[in-house]
Amino acid sequence: MSLAVEVKSLVKQFGNIRALDGITFNIKEGEIFGLIGPNGAGKTTTLRIICTLILPTSGAVKVFGLDVVNQASEVRKVISYLPEEAGAYPNLSGWEYLEFMARFSKGSASEVKRTIEEAAAISGLGERLKDKTKTYSKGMKRRLLVARALMTRPKLAILDEPASGLDVLHAYHVREIIKRYVKEHGVTVLLSSHNMLEVEYLCDRVALVNKGKVVVEGEPQKLKAKFNSANLEEVFAKVVGYA
Amino acid sequence: MLKGFQTIFVKELKELIRDPKILLGMLVIPLVLFPILGMVLGYAAETAQEQAEKATLLVVNNDGGNWSEVFIAFMNASMKTIVVSNLTPQQVLEQDLLKQNNSTQFIEIPAGFSANMTEHASGNQKIKATVNVYGVFQGSGVFSDIGASVTNVIVSKFNRYIAPDVVQITQSTIIKGEIQTGVDPATLSSLMMMQTIAIPVTVMIMLTYSMQIAATSVAMEKEEKTLETLLTVPVDRFAILMGKLASTIIVAGIASAAMMIGYNYMLGSITTQIPSELSVDLVKLGLMPTTFGYLLLGISLFMTLLSGLALAVIMSAFASDVRGATALVGYIYPIIFIPAMALMYLDINTLPMAIKALFFAIPYSQPIIASKAVVMGDYTTVIFGIIYVAIFTVVVMYAASRLFATEKILTAKLLFKGKMGKTVAETE
Ligand SMILES: Nc1ncnc2c1ncn2[C@@H]1O[C@H](COP(=O)(O)OP(=O)(O)OP(=O)(O)O)[C@@H](O)[C@H]1O
Ligand SMILES: [Mg+2]
C-alpha cells in the first residue's frame, strides 16, 4: 500500500522553544491516523507543517509523494485542513461560506452545487445555514467548518481536534461522518485529539506525542495489549511515566 | 471608589504601554509632526516675505509730472523699481514686461496724477490722486498676496508723509493674462482660501479613513481565524491579495465621485455667496475648473486613493490583528498630513527645488497639487502627477506580488521575522 503521508525527523524551532524535536511517522492511504498527546506536545505544529502553513526548521514531509515545502501549491490541491481554532466570515451566511470555499476546489457550477449540498447534509444545520455565521453557537460553527473540510472529498483531510466544542451527540455525529467518508470516498484522515475514547473508536493507528517527539506508535488494540492497559489513557500515562 | 475600576484601568494601561506600535504612534505624531509643520510654516512665511521684498516693482509712469517723480523716488526707497513711461496696462501685458522684469505686479501712475497732487496740496482736499495697482493672481497659498500688501503699505506710508489719503489705490487683478479691472487680488485670495483648505482637509480625511478600512481586510481574517483555512486551499496567494485590493478600488471610485460632486457643489455655493457689489464671478474669471479639469482632478484623486489603499492592504498583512494593522498604517499618516497642511499655506511653485521634489514624490499630495493646477489651467502638472502615482502604485503592487505570488510568502515573512514579529500563520 502506498503512503499518504511521510514525516521524517521533523524539527520546528520557535525562537528558543523547540516545538518539534524529530518527529517521524507514516500514514497509509485510506487510514485514519491519530496524533495524541498533552497540551503543548506539538500536535498542532506538526499538522500546520503538513498542511503547508508553516515551514519546518529541518526534516521532510511528503504528502502523496509531494514535498510540502517545494510543492506546496500541489499539496494544497489534495488536502483540506481544519484548524484547531477556526472561524467563518461573520457577515456571510453558512451557505455563502460553503459556496465561497467550494469555489476554490471545484470548477463547474454543478460541482459547486453538489459540494455544498453535501456539506449542508454533513453539517446538519438545515435552515440555519441561511443565517449569518455570527449568529451561530460555537458548536454550530464547528459543524459548519467540519463540513467544509470534508465536502471537497480531499485525498487527505487534516483535522485538528475535529470534535472540540461539540456536545456528545454532535461529536458522535461528526465521528460517524469521518468514518463513513473514509469508507465511501477513500479519504485519508490525520487528526489530533485529546479525547482517548474518540481516538480509540476512530483511529486505525495512533502516535503518542510528548515534548515534540513520538513516544509510541501503533494500533490502539495492540498498544493496550502491549502495555497491559484497559484504555489508551492508561497506555499514555505509563509511557510518559506518570503511572 | 468604583469596584474593579482600578483593576481594569491598570490592565488597560499595561496593554497599551506594552504595544510599541501604539506608543510610538502617540509619540511620533506630536513630537515629530508638529515641529516639522512649524518649520514648514515658518519657512513659508519667511520666503513669502523675502520674495515680496526682493520683488521688483514695475512702475508705468503715464503722468510725467513732478509729483510722479517724487512718488517713484519714495517707492524706490523701499523696493527695487523699474520705470517705464507712456504705456497702457494692456501694452504692458502685451510686451510681457512683467516677466522680463521678474515681477508679479505693476503700478500705473495715470496722467493727471501730478495735477491732482498739486490741487490737493494747494488746499483742495477733495481732489485726490490715484494710482492703479495691477497684480498677477497666482492662485494658491495663504501668503501669496503678501506682495500686493507690501505696495499698499508703501503707498499708505507715502500718504502719511504728504497728506492723509491723498493717494488712492485702485486694485486690479491679472488673471490668466487678462486684466480684470476693479478686482482686488486679496478678495480673490480669500475666496480661493476656502478651496485651498477644503481640498487638503477632504483628501486627508478620505485617505486616512479608507486606509483604516483597507488595513483591516487582511488583519480581520486573522482576527476571525479565517486566514489559516484560506491559506491551505488551492488558491494563488497573490489572487487573495488582488481580490482584496480590487474591492477597495470600488470603494476608492465611489469616494472620488462623491468628492467631486461635493467639490463642485462647494465651488458653486461660493460663487453664489459672493456679494454682488464685489462683482467677482469665479466662473467668468476662469477660476472654476472646466469639465476636463474636474475629470482630471477626479482621476488624480482616484489614483491617489488607490495607491494608499494598496499600501494599507499590504501593510495589514504584516499585523497580527486589527489593532496592530491600524497602528501600522498610522505610520503613513505623517506623510499624508505634512504636505497636505504645508500646501494649504504654500504655493508648491515657490518652494525650493528639493522640497518641491519631495512633495511631488509623495503620492498623497498629488490631488492637492492637482486641485490648484486645474484651476489655473495647468493640466500638464496634473497629468504628470497622475502618471507618477500610477507608476508608484504599480511598483507597490509589484513588490507585493514578489512577496505573495510565489511560494516564498512564508520564507519572505521569515526574513522579516526580526523586524515585523512573527509570521502570518505563526502569530496566532
Ligand atoms: N507561533 C508560535 N510561537 C512560539 N511558540 C509556539 C508557536 N506555536 C506553537 N508554539 C510552541 O510550540 C509548542 C507546541 O505547540 P502546539 O500548538 O503544537 O501544541 P499542541 O500539541 O497542539 O497542544 P494543544 O493540545 O494545547 O493544542 C508549545 O510549546 C508552544 O508554546
Ligand atoms: Mg493544538
Side-chain angles (χ1 to χ4, degrees):
Chain A
M1 211 180 217
S2 64
L3 289 178
V5 180
E6 284 173 82
V7 177
K8 216 182 268 169
S9 322
L10 201 58
V11 173
K12 179 69 188 179
Q13 191 87 29
F14 291 112
N16 292 326
I17 301 165
R18 201 171 183 83
L20 302 183
D21 192 14
I23 285 204
T24 302
F25 63 85
N26 292 328
I27 305 174
K28 286 176 227 143
E29 217 177 316
E31 209 175 29
I32 302 182
F33 190 91
L35 281 185
I36 53 178
N39 293 133
K43 304 181 294 291
T44 298
T45 306
T46 308
L47 299 188
R48 277 176 156 183
I49 292 173
I50 297 172
C51 75
T52 76
L53 268 180
I54 58 175
L55 296 170
T57 307
S58 69
V61 179
K62 288 216 158 104
V63 175
F64 292 99
L66 301 164
D67 188 274
V68 294
V69 177
N70 299 320
Q71 294 166 289
S73 60
E74 295 302 309
V75 172
R76 285 183 204 127
K77 285 179 192 157
V78 298
I79 62 160
S80 98
Y81 174 57
L82 173 68
E84 183 174 10
E85 248 187 276
Y89 299 96
N91 289 314
L92 293 188
S93 70
W95 271 115
E96 286 168 329
Y97 176 71
L98 292 172
E99 191 183 342
F100 170 73
M101 296 306 290
R103 280 181 194 280
F104 290 117
S105 1
K106 300 294 170 195
S108 67
S110 62
E111 257 190 311
V112 169
K113 192 161 176 278
R114 190 198 52 75
T115 306
I116 54 181
E117 267 162 10
E118 188 158 331
I122 299 173
S123 75
L125 286 170
E127 283 297 293
R128 290 302 304 273
L129 279 174
K130 288 182 186 144
D131 297 337
K132 287 188 179 166
T133 65
K134 66 179 168 197
T135 67
Y136 290 6
S137 76
K138 183 174 153 194
M140 289 165 73
K141 236 182 257 171
R142 196 68 186 165
R143 276 148 62 194
L144 180 74
L145 294 170
V146 169
R148 196 286 303 169
L150 294 175
M151 70 181 178
T152 54
R153 296 183 190 168
K155 282 174 87 176
L156 172 69
I158 302 165
L159 313 172
D160 201 350
E161 298 187 31
S164 85
L166 294 183
D167 64 43
V168 181
L169 276 180
H170 283 110
Y172 176 81
H173 173 73
V174 163
R175 273 177 225 134
E176 289 304 310
I177 283 169
I178 294 172
K179 260 216 142 117
R180 204 185 77 215
Y181 250 73
V182 174
K183 235 188 254 153
E184 287 176 9
H185 308 294
V187 175
T188 306
V189 175
L190 165 59
L191 58 82
S192 83
S193 181
H194 288 288
N195 186 334
M196 299 296 168
L197 220 69
E198 171 176 294
V199 170
E200 257 188 87
Y201 170 76
L202 262 182
C203 297
D204 301 315
R205 279 192 313 132
V206 299
L208 296 176
V209 182
N210 192 32
K211 295 179 182 161
K213 282 193 174 95
V214 175
V215 285
V216 70
E217 190 194 325
E219 290 165 29
Q221 296 310 324
K222 287 191 181 157
L223 286 180
K224 279 191 285 187
K226 184 177 167 194
F227 289 91
N228 194 18
S229 309
N231 54 44
L232 277 181
E233 249 162 64
E234 218 182 297
V235 173
F236 194 77
K238 277 183 182 162
V239 173
V240 181
Y242 289 120
Chain B
M1 191 85 180
L2 213 52
K3 201 160 164 277
F5 166 79
Q6 198 189 344
T7 320
I8 290 178
F9 174 71
V10 170
K11 172 250 165 197
E12 288 297 321
L13 212 56
K14 259 189 204 157
E15 251 192 332
L16 287 174
I17 290 171
R18 284 184 189 168
D19 190 337
K21 289 187 296 274
I22 288 175
L23 196 63
L24 266 171
M26 304 299 286
L27 295 178
V28 164
I29 304 270
L31 293 183
V32 177
L33 190 62
F34 282 114
I36 290 180
L37 265 180
M39 271 158 53
V40 168
L41 293 189
Y43 171 81
E46 203 179 294
T47 40
Q49 192 69 46
E50 260 173 29
Q51 274 182 342
E53 279 162 10
K54 263 195 294 188
T56 17
L57 181 66
L58 188 65
V59 181
V60 181
N61 193 348
N62 290 333
D63 177 67
N66 286 339
W67 275 110
S68 69
E69 298 299 331
V70 174
F71 182 76
I72 290 167
F74 192 88
M75 296 295 289
N76 204 15
S78 5
M79 271 179 108
K80 201 176 143 214
T81 51
I82 288 167
V83 185
V84 292
S85 301
N86 300 325
L87 286 174
T88 63
Q90 200 55 46
Q91 282 169 325
V92 172
L93 287 192
E94 278 159 16
Q95 296 175 18
D96 212 13
L97 289 176
L98 279 180
K99 216 175 245 159
Q100 283 166 27
N101 292 301
N102 201 12
S103 175
T104 54
Q105 56 176 338
F106 66 90
I107 290 191
E108 185 205 8
I109 304 175
F113 177 82
S114 293
N116 288 342
M117 288 297 289
T118 317
E119 271 289 295
H120 189 96
S122 65
N124 195 348
Q125 306 272 324
K126 274 195 205 127
I127 303 289
K128 317 244 177 198
T130 316
V131 291
N132 303 320
V133 176
Y134 297 85
V136 176
F137 179 68
Q138 284 160 315
S140 49
V142 171
F143 301 124
S144 64
D145 56 325
I146 278 189
S149 55
V150 169
T151 340
N152 289 356
V153 168
I154 299 174
V155 170
S156 52
K157 237 198 249 169
F158 180 78
N159 285 344
R160 251 180 285 144
Y161 274 107
I162 308 297
D165 296 331
V166 59
V167 176
Q168 307 273 308
I169 301 174
T170 67
Q171 295 275 11
S172 299
T173 307
I174 302 162
I175 299 167
K176 296 180 180 171
E178 294 207 7
I179 295 172
Q180 305 293 337
T181 314
V183 177
D184 183 352
T187 317
L188 261 190
S189 291
S190 51
L191 283 174
M192 298 311 285
M193 265 277 285
M194 177 111 178
Q195 176 204 357
T196 308
I197 287 175
I199 291 266
V201 167
T202 324
V203 168
M204 281 191 282
I205 293 173
M206 278 176 66
L207 263 173
T208 49
Y209 188 71
S210 53
M211 281 173 83
Q212 286 292 332
I213 295 173
T216 61
S217 67
V218 179
M220 191 71 118
E221 297 252 3
K222 294 185 192 175
E223 213 165 85
E224 297 291 339
K225 311 251 182 250
T226 49
L227 187 66
E228 269 189 56
T229 314
L230 199 58
L231 289 179
T232 56
V233 298
V235 57
D236 195 328
R237 286 179 179 181
F238 189 55
I240 298 177
L241 198 75
M242 284 297 129
K244 288 183 175 298
L245 211 54
S247 64
T248 63
I249 292 176
I250 309 265
V251 175
I254 293 171
S256 319
M259 177 157 168
M260 292 329 292
I261 293 167
Y263 177 56
N264 185 17
Y265 182 80
M266 180 196 81
L267 283 188
S269 53
I270 291 178
T271 38
T272 55
Q273 304 273 298
I274 296 167
S276 52
E277 68 267 20
L278 273 176
S279 71
V280 175
D281 185 343
L282 292 177
V283 183
K284 236 198 231 148
L285 295 181
L287 290 182
M288 292 262 288
T290 57
T291 312
F292 182 62
Y294 274 123
L295 189 71
L296 277 185
L297 187 55
I299 295 173
S300 167
L301 191 69
F302 174 76
M303 282 312 301
T304 303
L305 277 175
L306 188 58
S307 87
L309 292 175
L311 198 60
V313 167
I314 289 155
M315 288 181 87
S316 83
F318 290 102
S320 56
D321 53 19
V322 171
R323 185 158 94 172
T326 51
L328 212 53
V329 165
Y331 283 115
I332 302 176
Y333 292 173
I335 306 173
I336 299 174
F337 291 160
I338 291 175
M341 293 176 95
L343 288 173
M344 287 182 191
Y345 296 96
L346 293 168
D347 179 359
I348 187 148
N349 294 312
T350 63
L351 292 172
M353 208 49 218
I355 298 184
K356 192 173 163 180
L358 183 71
F359 279 9
F360 205 84
I362 294 171
Y364 315 112
S365 45
Q366 289 300 335
I368 300 163
I369 297 172
S371 71
K372 292 179 178 182
V374 291
V375 165
M376 300 309 287
D378 174 12
Y379 297 136
T380 331
T381 304
V382 185
I383 292 170
F384 187 72
I386 290 171
I387 294 170
Y388 169 72
V389 179
I391 292 171
F392 181 90
T393 311
V394 168
V395 170
V396 168
M397 287 192 194
Y398 178 74
S401 80
R402 300 291 300 173
L403 198 65
F404 285 78
T406 60
E407 298 307 323
K408 283 189 190 128
I409 178 172
L410 288 170
T411 38
K413 279 201 204 112
L414 287 175
L415 288 179
F416 274 111
K417 219 170 170 178
K419 259 188 278 169
M420 309 300 276
K422 294 168 210 149
T423 68
V424 166
E426 288 165 352
T427 27
E428 276 95 59

